[in-house]
């Protein structure tokens, strides 16, 4: 395989409000724990990891009440509470999300050279801002706003990677003729354009390619393979990762056109040729542009190709023949930013195909990110309209300079176990563009006063009787001490009576709510048989398993909410006593826009409850179906005719404006609940079947059966000639029958005659009916006289 390249606000950290606790009476404390998830948190880290909770780091907080006041409480209870002012403002730990734009250049096109003002050239800026810093609490969402616009005259690098197997020989000749035309056509799109060319065949080992010297690939311009698939994945990998060899520029839209008429080998196929070493995803091109590891490394996998495409921001265009289109159409779905087009048999349409795919790529933008673990990013946009923002990461119909506003909602579902992962750097980027928004994320998983060297941290503190460290106002005892102030020494065995500290109120004799053991004034809660079920709280009053269940899971599962002190704390986007109800109407709006539930239902818990009217009941995910209403089949028929079968009454311009792109399938069937089957007859009286509806992801899909059901074609001339032939044949047959009958009759008569003759008794020499002839003479002149 050889390659060659041609010319080419700050939001300040607010320390909350004054900590105060709604503590009216001891009897009310138990009920408040059931409705307040904050009070069960025993340290500052646990407290700030719970939304809306704040911590009081004051050492003597609640001393007058015997230390029973919870240090962690909801911040909306700090306002005008009966104990307002009990905690000093400087001791409130209530971190808020902090956002800061580090690099925020305006959207602009590229500029080269030095202008009259002496300003040097700069690269185009298509995403804004470019780098930000964000501090974020767990289970709290932050909406970050950003913009994207395709810059005018943006640089384009196009690399054409062609299959040079024997079946593509005529395509090679045609491509050489169209090279200049392709360059000229792309120059009309951008003045900053570079074009390169590369070729590939399969691995030069059996059983892929004949290794007979006369047939070796290295000695031929084109190659004949022994098997059908080609080694295109090797070529794609090298074309992407060999940045310097190929000549990819940092700031350019990179297009890799992959042209072939065959399928592909992928990871694992190398074993057939004795090649078992996995592909390492590195560049292995020599100075002549040849792939040096063809016979030593296996083919890349689809995931490897996808990873490298994302890392290098390459737009992969599969230009394949019609017979292979369905294979690469499926592959296209697993490679980010890839597209697929049908190549004519001699590649004569390559210029139009590349321009069409380029226009399709540049007319849309899709935002993605490489965030991992506990970081979740959700995208919202109104694309080109002025309507409300809806959940989507893709916008179509863009033009050069069109500004699209996106909102990235960043959420943290939890703190990683390793504190090193509390600081992460991830990117938000438009697919296929080598520009991104870099997010420097710091997870607020602990408090400063819990770390040595910070205010509020005292080692071997006197407040803890020298038996532990003071962290954020509470004592953390060493292994030999226990108690609220580390006053109990396990080595002395003089514990005293500390049971009063284990009672939830002064009127009860129950220690630790009968769910724990009082050890030196501190409740040690009992373990549960199920290790995931935990009892917590100062008096063992809380647990994580006594919440409402949905589908057998507390709070509908960890994706929906968490069980905090017997009550569900729902995550953003969910609500209800069991967190099973969606707190959004986005899922009730059809993907193509429109009214909530199509105006025919109410959005309840994120799902449409359709109306029932006199004409019938509406149905479907978005109440878009009505059995007694007129069908939408005639509405979609013209677009299907023009897009799939290139027929019908629509012009090319009208066809391009269709609101959907049908998917061709071998056999149409209803796969989703909202699917509705339709059919129509075209001008040739052929029946076309299709199905429309919404898939599991809420996307509108139209699936069309590739083959039409056509009536048999009548051959008029054949019928006429057949009738004439039949008449002639019948007449000839009748003549033969007549002739046969006459012959039979004659033979019968002759046989009868012969029989009668043989039965005669007279001499055969005499004729019994013979009579002697009698002669009479008369003179015509005789008058009767003598």
């Amino acid at each position: 395989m050889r390659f060659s390249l041609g010319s080419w606000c700050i939001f300040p950290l607010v320390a909350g409000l004054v900590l105060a606790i709604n503590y009216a009476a001891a009897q009310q404390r138990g009920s408040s724990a059931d409705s307040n998830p904050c009070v069960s948190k025993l340290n500052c880290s646990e407290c700030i990891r719970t939304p809306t909770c704040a911590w009081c780091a004051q050492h003597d907080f609640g001393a007058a009440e015997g230390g029973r006041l919870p240090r962690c409480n909801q911040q909306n209870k700090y306002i005008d509470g009966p104990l307002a002012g009990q905690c000093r403002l400087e001791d409130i730990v209530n971190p808020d999300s902090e956002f800061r734009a580090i690099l925020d250049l305006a959207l602009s096109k590229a500029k080269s050279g030095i202008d009259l003002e002496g300003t040097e050239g700069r690269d185009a800026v298509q995403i804004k801002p470019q780098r930000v810093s964000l501090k974020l609490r767990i289970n709290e969402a932050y909406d970050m706003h950003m913009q994207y616009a395709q810059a005018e005259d943006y640089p384009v690098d196009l690399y054409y990677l062609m299959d040079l197997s024997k079946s593509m020989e005529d395509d090679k000749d045609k491509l050489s003729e169209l090279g200049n035309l392709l360059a000229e056509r792309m120059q009309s799109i951008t003045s900053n354009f570079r074009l390169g060319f590369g070729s590939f065949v399969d691995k030069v080992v059996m059983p892929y390619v004949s290794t007979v010297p006369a047939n070796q690939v290295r000695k031929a311009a084109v190659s004949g393979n022994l098997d059908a698939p080609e080694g295109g994945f090797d070529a794609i990998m090298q074309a992407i990762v060999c940045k310097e060899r190929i000549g990819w520029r940092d700031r350019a839209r990179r297009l890799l056109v992959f042209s072939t008429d065959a399928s592909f080998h992928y990871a694992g196929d190398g074993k057939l040729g004795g090649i078992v070493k996995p592909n390492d995803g590195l560049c292995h091109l020599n100075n002549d542009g040849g792939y040096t590891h063809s016979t030593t490394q296996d083919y890349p996998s689809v995931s490897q190709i996808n990873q490298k495409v994302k890392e290098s921001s390459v737009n992969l265009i599969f230009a394949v023949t019609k017979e292979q289109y369905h294979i690469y159409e499926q592959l296209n779905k697993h490679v980010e930013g890839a597209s697929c087009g049908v190549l004519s048999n001699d590649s004569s349409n390559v210029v139009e195909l590349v321009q069409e795919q380029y226009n399709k790529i540049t007319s849309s933008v899709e935002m993605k990110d490489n965030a991992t673990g506990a970081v979740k990013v959700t995208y919202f946009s109104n694309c080109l309209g002025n309507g409300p923002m809806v959940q989507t990461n893709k916008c179509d119909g863009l033009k050069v300079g069109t500004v699209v506003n996106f909102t990235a909602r960043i959420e943290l579902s939890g703190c990683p176990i390793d504190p090193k992962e509390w600081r992460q750097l991830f990117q938000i980027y438009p697919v296929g563009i080598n520009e991104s928004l870099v997010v420097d994320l710091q997870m607020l998983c602990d408090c400063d006063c819990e770390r040595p060297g910070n205010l509020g941290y005292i080692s071997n503190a006197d407040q803890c009787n020298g038996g532990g460290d003071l962290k954020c106002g509470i004592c953390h005892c060493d292994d030999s001490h226990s108690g609220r102030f580390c006053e109990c020494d396990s080595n002395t065995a003089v514990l005293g009576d500390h049971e009063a500290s284990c009672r939830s109120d002064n009127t009860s004799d129950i220690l630790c709510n009968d769910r724990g053991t009082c050890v030196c004034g501190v409740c040690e809660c009992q373990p549960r048989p199920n290790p995931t079920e935990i009892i917590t709280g100062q008096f063992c009053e809380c647990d994580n398993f006594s919440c409402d269940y949905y589908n057998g899971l507390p709070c509908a599962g960890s994706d929906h909410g968490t069980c905090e002190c017997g009550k569900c704390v729902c995550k953003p986007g969910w609500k209800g006593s069991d967190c099973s109800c969606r707190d959004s109407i986005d899922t009730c709006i059809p993907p193509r826009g429109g009214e909530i539930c199509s105006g025919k239902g109410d959005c309840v818990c994120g799902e449409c409850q359709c109306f029932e009217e006199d004409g019938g009941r509406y149905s479907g995910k978005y109440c878009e179906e009505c059995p007694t209403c007129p069908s939408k089949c005639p509405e979609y028929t013209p677009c299907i005719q023009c897009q799939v079968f290139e027929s019908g009454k629509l012009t090319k311009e009208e066809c391009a404006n269709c609101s959907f792109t049908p998917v061709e399938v071998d056999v149409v069937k209803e796969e989703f609940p909202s699917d509705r089957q339709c059919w129509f007859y075209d001008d040739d009286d052929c029946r076309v079947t299709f199905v429309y509806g919404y898939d599991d992801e809420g996307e509108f899909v139209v699936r069309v059966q590739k083959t039409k059901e056509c009536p048999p074609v009548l051959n008029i001339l054949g019928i006429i000639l057949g009738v004439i032939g039949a008449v002639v044949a019948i007449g000839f047959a009748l003549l033969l029958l007549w002739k046969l009958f006459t012959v039979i009759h004659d033979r019968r008569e002759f046989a009868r005659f012969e029989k009668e003759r043989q039965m005669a008794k007279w001499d055969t020499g005499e004729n019994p009916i013979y009579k002697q002839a009698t002669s009479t003479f008369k003179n015509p002149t005789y008058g009767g006289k003598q």
Side-chain angles (χ1 to χ4, degrees), residues 122-176:
R122 62 175 181 269
D123 294 326
V125 178
Q126 299 185 113
I127 187 170
K128 177 184 186 303
Q130 296 79 42
R131 189 181 183 102
V132 299
S133 172
L134 177 63
K135 294 181 179 180
L136 191 60
R137 289 180 65 170
I138 308 302
N139 294 323
E140 288 190 357
Y142 184 85
D143 289 344
M144 182 176 62
H145 305 291
M146 55 186 181
Q147 293 180 324
Y148 167 83
Q150 181 187 167
E152 180 182 353
D153 206 26
Y154 194 72
V156 175
D157 289 349
L158 189 150
Y159 194 80
Y160 197 98
L161 189 57
M162 184 178 181
D163 176 5
L164 279 192
S165 59
K166 186 65 178 178
S167 59
M168 293 287 287
E169 185 173 8
D170 59 336
D171 301 69
K172 173 193 171 186
D173 299 334
K174 178 63 67 174
L175 182 62
S176 63

Side-chain angles (χ1 to χ4, degrees), residues 315-510:
N315 292 110
L316 186 56
I317 301 175
F318 296 113
V320 297
T321 54
K322 186 177 181 180
E323 294 76 16
Q324 301 298 329
Y325 180 79
H326 69 284
I327 297 177
Y328 286 89
E329 185 182 25
Q330 295 299 319
L331 175 62
N332 175 43
K333 300 176 181 179
H334 300 283
V335 180
E336 183 176 288
S339 58
C340 192
V342 177
L343 191 68
S344 60
N345 291 331
D346 61 352
S347 300
S348 58
N349 69 330
V350 63
V351 177
E352 291 75 14
L353 187 149
V354 171
Q355 185 174 14
E356 177 186 353
Q357 296 301 318
Y358 176 81
N359 292 335
K360 184 183 297 184
I361 292 171
T362 56
S363 64
S364 66
V365 58
E366 183 178 7
M367 304 301 295
K368 287 198 173 183
D369 58 81
N370 57 3
T372 59
V375 183
K376 178 184 177 183
V377 184
T378 308
Y379 300 93
F380 299 86
S381 179
N382 58 2
C383 293
L384 303 179
N386 297 320
M389 304 283 278
V390 297
Q391 183 175 335
T392 181
N393 68 329
K394 186 176 182 180
C395 291
D396 299 316
L398 308 185
K399 297 181 179 179
V400 174
T402 302
V403 178
V404 182
N405 294 303
F406 283 96
T407 296
R409 178 169 296 169
I410 304 176
E411 302 175 68
L412 301 178
S413 59
C415 288
I417 298 176
D418 188 357
K420 294 180 181 179
E421 298 181 12
W422 294 354
R423 188 75 175 263
Q424 293 189 9
L425 204 68
F426 68 91
Q427 294 176 318
I428 298 176
Y429 58 91
V431 173
I433 298 293
N434 194 24
E435 296 182 46
S436 64
L437 165 57
V438 179
V439 180
D440 187 352
L441 177 64
Q442 180 180 347
M443 305 180 188
L444 300 178
C445 293
D446 64 348
C447 305
D448 292 340
C449 52
E450 292 178 321
R451 296 192 295 267
N454 290 287
L455 186 64
Y457 184 97
I458 303 176
S459 299
N460 298 320
D462 294 337
Q463 296 91 329
C464 302
N465 296 295
D469 302 330
L470 184 67
K471 301 179 182 179
C472 299
I474 61 174
C475 292
H476 291 255
C477 305
D478 56 31
D479 295 338
S480 62
H481 292 82
S482 61
R484 194 182 308 279
F485 303 106
C486 304
E487 68 275 17
C488 296
D489 188 346
S490 59
N491 297 323
T492 63
V494 180
L495 302 181
D497 183 14
H498 300 283
E499 292 184 352
S501 300
C502 296
R503 299 188 181 97
S504 58
D505 57 67
N506 296 329
T507 62
S508 175
D509 294 331
I510 299 176

Side-chain angles (χ1 to χ4, degrees), residues 7-268:
S7 58
W8 273 117
C9 308
I10 299 178
F11 295 103
L13 183 64
V14 180
L17 301 173
V18 178
L19 181 63
I21 310 299
N22 287 334
Y23 178 75
Q27 290 82 355
Q28 296 176 341
R29 189 178 296 109
S31 60
S32 66
D34 294 336
S35 59
N36 186 351
C38 303
V39 298
S40 63
K41 308 307 176 184
L42 301 180
N43 57 58
C44 187
S45 295
E46 292 182 2
C47 183
I48 67 170
R49 293 183 188 184
T50 306
T52 72
C53 293
W55 178 266
C56 179
Q58 182 179 326
H59 170 65
D60 57 352
F61 173 73
E65 288 76 22
R68 290 189 175 87
L69 292 182
R71 291 179 176 272
C72 185
N73 213 318
Q74 291 180 336
Q75 59 184 9
N76 59 3
K77 294 191 176 183
Y78 306 154
I79 303 175
D80 299 329
L83 298 179
Q86 290 294 317
C87 185
R88 293 187 295 267
L89 181 61
E90 61 270 19
D91 290 325
I92 300 294
V93 181
N94 184 26
D96 199 0
S97 298
E98 180 180 334
F99 174 85
R100 181 167 62 93
I102 301 176
L103 185 60
D104 191 13
L105 301 177
L107 301 174
S108 62
K109 67 177 183 178
K111 181 180 179 183
S112 59
I114 301 178
D115 58 17
L116 297 176
E117 299 178 357
T119 305
E120 296 184 358
R122 62 175 181 269
D123 294 326
V125 178
Q126 299 185 113
I127 187 170
K128 177 184 186 303
Q130 296 79 42
R131 189 181 183 102
V132 299
S133 172
L134 177 63
K135 294 181 179 180
L136 191 60
R137 289 180 65 170
I138 308 302
N139 294 323
E140 288 190 357
Y142 184 85
D143 289 344
M144 182 176 62
H145 305 291
M146 55 186 181
Q147 293 180 324
Y148 167 83
Q150 181 187 167
E152 180 182 353
D153 206 26
Y154 194 72
V156 175
D157 289 349
L158 189 150
Y159 194 80
Y160 197 98
L161 189 57
M162 184 178 181
D163 176 5
L164 279 192
S165 59
K166 186 65 178 178
S167 59
M168 293 287 287
E169 185 173 8
D170 59 336
D171 301 69
K172 173 193 171 186
D173 299 334
K174 178 63 67 174
L175 182 62
S176 63
E177 299 174 6
L178 297 175
N180 291 334
L181 178 60
L182 179 61
E184 292 175 3
R185 189 71 60 86
M186 294 303 296
Q187 288 284 357
S188 65
I189 297 175
T190 174
S191 61
N192 196 344
F193 172 69
R194 300 177 70 183
L195 174 64
F197 175 79
S199 60
F200 70 93
V201 288
D202 213 337
K203 295 183 182 295
V204 193
V205 294
M206 292 290 286
Y208 313 112
V209 173
S210 174
T211 55
V212 177
N215 297 328
Q216 285 186 5
V217 175
R218 292 173 181 149
K219 297 182 180 180
V222 293
S223 168
N225 290 4
L226 296 181
D227 64 344
E230 301 288 359
F233 273 21
D234 275 341
I236 293 175
M237 177 63 75
Q238 295 303 304
I240 294 175
V241 300
C242 295
K243 177 181 176 183
E244 301 299 330
R245 290 284 186 191
I246 301 300
W248 297 116
R249 291 177 289 179
D250 289 334
R251 289 285 184 157
R253 185 182 288 274
R254 304 169 182 175
L255 304 180
L256 177 59
V257 182
F258 179 80
S259 174
T260 185
D261 64 347
S263 57
F264 49 86
H265 284 295
Y266 53 91

Side-chain angles (χ1 to χ4, degrees), residues 674-685:
S674 64
D675 282 351
R676 184 165 183 178
Q677 192 172 64
C678 308
W679 61 85
F680 65 89
Y681 290 91
D682 60 9
D683 298 337
D684 298 327
D685 203 26

